[in-house]
Amino acid sequence: MADLTPLEGKYLTGGWHAADATYDVIGPLSGDAIARAAHCGPDEAKAAADTAWEAFQSWRTTTAFERAELLRTWHDAILANAELLARTMTREMGKPIKEARGEAAYAASFVRWYEGEATRAYGEVFPTAAGHKRGLALRKPVGPVYAVTPWNFPAGMVTRKAAPALAAGCTFILKPAEQTPLTAMLLAELWREVGGPEGTLQVLPTNDPAAVTAPLMEDPRIRKVTFTGSTEVGRMLYAQSAETIKRISFELGGHAPFVIFDDADLDQAVRETIACKFRNAGQTCVCTNRIYVHEAIADAFTAKYVEAAKGLRVGDPNDDATDVGPLVDAAGLAKVQDHVRDAVAHGADVALGGETQGDLYFLPTVLTGVTPDMRMMQEETFGPVAPILTFANEAEAIALANATPYGLASYVYTNDLGRAWRMAENLEYGIVGINDGVPSAAHAPFGGVKQSGIGREGGPWGLDEYLEVTYVSMGLGH
Ligand code: NAD
């Protein structure tokens, strides 16, 4: 695939169609329009539902091996176009190019995993209480799926959902974030190019997500909704799902604590807290929002942390050397500024940064003297701001870490095996990274508890989300 130009202003239902209306996709680097995207509405959504339903009737009857083979070729096509995908992500949302390349590989890894998983959607034969009966559990695709994805991982959040859905035999309608329709369209075009049947994967870009979403949520033929984004929008989709009792998987907001004990390897903890905090300019749901350091090592940790953060290169995200690029848009920057202003007004000290640089850049920032009443302790900052707090003992660390409605990712640095187990068991989080600041992988269960979500993506757990169980009770005669 050479470029995106032929797809401008189009949406995919069955084939590509030119939309009646379009909107400008704004690149954060220049602030200018970088492309036109289709502005779909309820009519396009209804057409997509019809197409998804029709395509499901044949897609669900293909063999798992045929679906696996298509996923394998899609995976290869994604890797063959990794540089184009990476450049597109960087243009759309400002992710540094080296991270965008990593995301292209991460996105492909889910397709690779579900290529294998497709052929392992085993049913079961189980013992029954009656000797003349046999019990079977068949596993079937849920049905047509509606997916809503965020801008911060424009490729990874698409394949993490689409690959298991397609592997299971579901058809898939995708509504990408307003900021990042182009990456989603490229992925869908690659699926078509490798022979993905019409209607199995559809894309509805729009600047009005609620208008496209409403008919799909009302349609009983759409059997499942999968969403990654804010808790606020997730709550709304949860309520809308109730009407037709849809299956749901929600990956929502996070407020990740990073707990560093005094027995930890300090240099490793610094290195990984830097990576965890500043990748994607702090705009990930698993970025740490609260760094809790044992009081005995707080000064030493802070000094090393500030030094390491000073070494991060802020700049043009297209440059291979850039570590921190711009924030996605003006609203994102305003939130980061508000959080830092609020913290400083309530007594936090700025150990590094604290300022904007150019239009959408916020310098890597380290704050000390942060207290639980500050806004950044309750809401996701979604920016390159590292608040450092202290704790005195394990019980206090657990209490502080759990004192949030969120429960997505958490991190613990310790070399004490007993403590590592206790922390893993007592932290109310879907993910606990023990001496690991980057735990997400295609073969692992990713997801949150509490108000961070429902369901898991990755591994066999991710496939289960797209499968129903049919109990077959078979009488053998008396
Ligand atoms: P967002 O909730 O505003 O948007 C996410 C998606 O929801 C977009 O596609 C958007 O168009 C759509 N949307 C917005 N309003 C809608 C409506 N009324 N009806 C239907 N769809 C609607 O979130 P965002 O700002 O794009 O992304 C950042 C958020 O996503 C953060 O909270 C972050 O933590 C979360 N996130 C979570 C994960 C995870 O796996 N848990 C991963 C990435 C991002």
Side-chain angles (χ1 to χ4, degrees):
M1 176 191 285
D3 74 322
L4 248 162
T5 322
L7 306 185
E8 277 214 36
K10 295 193 176 154
Y11 63 96
L12 183 64
T13 55
W16 289 104
H17 305 282
D20 291 340
T22 60
Y23 71 96
D24 286 341
V25 180
I26 307 295
L29 189 59
S30 61
D32 297 333
I34 55 168
R36 275 178 317 112
H39 177 44
C40 294
D43 290 346
E44 288 80 8
K46 285 178 192 156
D50 292 343
T51 303
W53 180 248
E54 202 179 308
F56 177 61
Q57 307 315 319
S58 51
W59 184 239
R60 70 188 178 88
T61 65
T62 54
T63 69
F65 286 80
E66 288 170 275
R67 297 196 294 271
E69 179 60 16
L70 269 172
L71 286 166
R72 188 186 61 73
T73 49
W74 193 29
H75 164 265
D76 294 349
I78 292 171
L79 285 188
N81 288 277
E83 187 62 19
L84 173 63
L85 284 161
R87 293 270 163 212
T88 305
M89 285 186 255
T90 298
R91 273 174 76 208
E92 280 187 305
M93 50 71 70
K95 178 174 296 212
I97 188 67
K98 60 186 175 191
E99 285 186 36
R101 289 188 184 117
E103 183 176 342
Y106 175 77
S109 74
F110 282 90
V111 182
R112 176 86 176 80
W113 176 268
Y114 286 105
E115 169 210 339
E117 208 61 52
T119 57
R120 291 189 285 271
Y122 300 134
E124 282 158 294
V125 179
F126 53 88
T128 63
H132 65 288
K133 290 186 184 183
R134 297 294 180 268
L136 298 93
L138 302 185
R139 303 182 86 206
K140 301 178 183 170
V142 167
V145 172
Y146 177 47
V148 178
T149 52
W151 50 265
N152 61 347
F153 287 94
M157 296 304 107
V158 170
T159 58
R160 209 157 86 164
K161 299 175 186 307
L166 294 167
C170 299
T171 50
F172 193 83
I173 302 171
L174 169 65
K175 192 213 72 58
E178 299 86 296
Q179 299 90 335
T180 55
L182 308 177
T183 306
M185 289 159 66
L186 280 175
L187 287 167
E189 176 57 9
L190 291 173
W191 172 251
R192 270 170 55 86
E193 282 181 9
V194 301
E198 277 202 2
T200 48
L201 172 51
Q202 307 183 69
V203 185
L204 303 174
T206 183
N207 211 7
D208 184 352
V212 163
T213 298
L216 295 166
M217 296 304 282
E218 285 161 13
D219 193 327
R221 296 172 302 175
I222 304 297
R223 297 280 161 79
K224 176 176 172 99
V225 57
T226 173
F227 170 69
T228 296
S230 60
T231 298
E232 189 191 4
V233 174
R235 197 170 283 126
M236 228 156 53
L237 294 177
Y238 203 168
Q240 291 172 11
S241 309
E243 198 57 43
T244 54
I245 315 286
K246 294 193 197 308
R247 285 273 297 272
I248 57 164
S249 306
F250 288 168
E251 304 279 358
L252 308 177
H255 206 279
F258 208 116
V259 181
I260 302 159
F261 285 95
D262 51 352
D263 58 34
D265 176 333
L266 204 57
D267 289 330
Q268 189 199 356
V270 168
R271 216 169 34 246
E272 298 220 357
T273 326
I274 289 278
C276 180
K277 175 70 258 182
F278 293 105
R279 78 187 170 110
N280 209 13
Q283 303 169 112
T284 89
C285 52
V286 292
C287 273
T288 176
N289 272 264
R290 298 171 281 149
I291 303 173
Y292 295 110
V293 188
H294 189 274
E295 58 193 15
I297 55 162
D299 290 347
F301 176 87
T302 305
K304 279 176 185 266
Y305 195 76
V306 168
E307 265 322 292
K310 271 185 197 161
L312 293 169
R313 294 187 54 165
V314 179
D316 182 342
N318 292 296
D319 186 339
D320 279 2
T322 294
D323 297 307
V324 179
L327 292 166
V328 70
D329 54 26
L333 178 68
K335 186 174 187 194
V336 175
Q337 285 177 298
D338 282 353
H339 277 197
V340 171
R341 262 190 231 115
D342 170 79
V344 171
H346 287 87
D349 294 314
V350 179
L352 183 72
E355 294 165 11
T356 56
Q357 175 186 288
D359 279 350
L360 289 180
Y361 287 87
F362 199 82
L363 291 174
T365 295
V366 182
L367 300 179
T368 57
V370 174
T371 50
D373 54 311
M374 297 174 183
R375 256 185 84 192
M376 64 172 56
M377 288 295 99
Q378 278 122 48
E379 298 167 26
E380 283 181 287
T381 303
F382 243 54
V385 180
I388 298 181
L389 301 94
T390 59
F391 65 93
N393 55 48
E394 196 176 306
E396 190 191 4
I398 292 168
L400 288 168
N402 284 343
T404 167
Y406 293 110
L408 185 58
S410 59
Y411 308 89
V412 178
Y413 270 69
T414 178
N415 280 322
D416 178 327
L417 198 53
R419 172 174 281 155
W421 271 111
R422 288 191 298 277
M423 293 300 287
E425 287 171 358
N426 288 314
L427 287 173
E428 295 169 354
Y429 286 83
I431 301 165
V432 183
I434 305 275
N435 298 327
D436 182 6
V438 203
S440 177
H443 52 267
F446 187 104
V449 300
K450 294 161 78 177
Q451 294 183 29
S452 286
I454 296 177
R456 294 294 178 269
E457 291 183 333
W461 305 272
L463 189 71
D464 281 348
E465 303 281 339
Y466 296 92
L467 292 169
E468 288 288 11
V469 173
T470 294
Y471 163 41
V472 180
S473 179
M474 188 175 290
L476 304 184
H478 296 280

